Amino acid sequence: MKISASFLAIKENIKENIKRLDNSSIDYLHVDIMDNIFVPNITKNFNEISELLQDINTLKDIHLMVSDVISYIDDYSKLNPAFITFHLEAVDNVKEVIDYIKNKNIKVGISIKPNTMVDELIDYLDLIDLVLVMSVEPGFGGQNFIDNSLDKIEKLYTLRKNNNYHYLIEIDGGINASNINKLNGVDIAVVGSYITNSDDYSKTVEELKNT
Ligand code: DX5
Ligand code: ZN
């Protein structure tokens, strides 16, 4: 399982601490973007985020928790990310948004909140590169893992196998060394506060990878 580290919970020396994540053995840097509309929280603006990520070598995994998806895609595609993921609940024109990201030569992810079922993704599963299952309500780091997300993972895993879909399965929220071994079938686990609240990021990432 790959680890995508979220820096949302870092409050001090943000740039230096993101660099510490970059220097650890994480596979992706998970960039959470919020607009105070889709979720009741807001992140830094695009120029500030670009500045923070200027010297980062790790592949970027952008998670857009926003309503005005297209304008954020226009901005964040400039960071040359590996994935841009938007929320199914945020848009009406899902296929257009998928194509909009694909046309920028960036891999496309769709995320679902804890109360959104996998069935609602059925029409898009053959078109996308990643499904991001939220295992907390999006908006804040440091919340507890919601167990129903494990059923969604199993369903996505079976659907992929039976239909030869190619999406990766990613899960985000409340993951730590005590529950990471429950995540059978997950390709990428997003981990935020468990890493960034620890003293030695590299050691914590290794612990997660070896659990
Ligand atoms: C929550 C974000 C997550 C969050 C994960 O809305 O999408 O990426 O930062 O943080 P932890 O691991 O602390 O739940
Ligand atoms: Zn996230």
Side-chain angles (χ1 to χ4, degrees):
M1 195 184 319
K2 294 193 165 170
I3 301 288
S4 188
S6 160
F7 57 90
L8 185 67
I10 298 178
K11 297 288 175 248
E12 286 170 6
N13 303 323
I14 301 179
K15 193 164 184 175
E16 294 74 10
N17 283 323
I18 293 175
K19 196 62 202 164
R20 286 171 67 210
L21 290 173
D22 191 40
N23 290 335
S24 76
S25 58
I26 58 169
D27 301 283
Y28 298 96
L29 185 70
H30 184 81
V31 183
D32 287 305
I33 304 297
M34 305 181 188
D35 63 354
N36 212 15
I37 301 170
F38 183 70
V39 288
N41 193 4
I42 192 153
T43 41
K44 294 184 184 302
N45 69 34
F46 176 67
N47 288 339
E48 291 167 324
I49 298 271
S50 307
E51 209 276 319
L52 286 174
L53 302 183
Q54 224 170 22
D55 307 319
I56 298 302
N57 301 312
T58 308
L59 294 171
K60 296 172 202 89
D61 160 34
I62 310 262
H63 179 193
L64 296 179
M65 288 164 275
V66 302
S67 289
D68 183 13
V69 172
I70 294 292
S71 77
Y72 282 83
I73 294 167
D74 284 338
D75 277 343
Y76 285 91
S77 57
K78 295 177 197 147
L79 300 182
N80 196 24
F83 300 100
I84 293 183
T85 297
F86 64 95
H87 268 267
L88 182 69
E89 304 87 357
V91 299
D92 296 322
N93 51 343
V94 179
K95 286 191 177 161
E96 282 171 40
V97 178
I98 291 170
D99 285 341
Y100 198 79
I101 298 173
K102 279 191 179 170
N103 285 337
K104 294 182 183 289
N105 282 320
I106 295 168
K107 292 199 165 117
V108 183
I110 301 186
S111 183
I112 51 173
K113 298 203 286 184
N115 290 330
T116 305
M117 297 299 118
V118 167
D119 290 348
E120 296 177 49
L121 287 170
I122 290 293
D123 290 346
Y124 316 113
L125 289 177
D126 61 331
L127 304 173
I128 60 180
D129 304 295
L130 180 143
V131 177
L132 172 55
V133 173
M134 289 305 299
S135 42
V136 298
E137 282 299 332
F140 302 91
Q143 304 180 75
N144 289 334
F145 186 86
I146 299 173
D147 267 328
N148 84 348
S149 45
L150 296 176
D151 299 335
K152 295 186 193 179
I153 299 298
E154 197 180 325
K155 187 154 193 178
L156 285 164
Y157 190 87
T158 306
L159 282 167
R160 181 172 67 185
K161 195 161 131 202
N162 293 346
N163 297 283
N164 285 320
Y165 296 144
H166 71 278
Y167 53 78
L168 295 173
I169 302 172
E170 183 176 38
I171 187 161
D172 181 4
I175 295 161
N176 55 47
S178 312
N179 59 21
I180 197 165
N181 57 7
K182 291 201 283 190
L183 307 180
N184 294 323
V186 168
D187 300 296
I188 306 173
V190 178
V191 186
S193 52
Y194 187 73
I195 298 172
T196 61
N197 288 344
S198 73
D199 291 332
D200 186 338
Y201 292 179
S202 293
K203 200 170 139 201
T204 306
V205 173
E206 284 310 311
E207 179 198 13
L208 289 163
K209 289 195 158 191
N210 295 326
T211 299

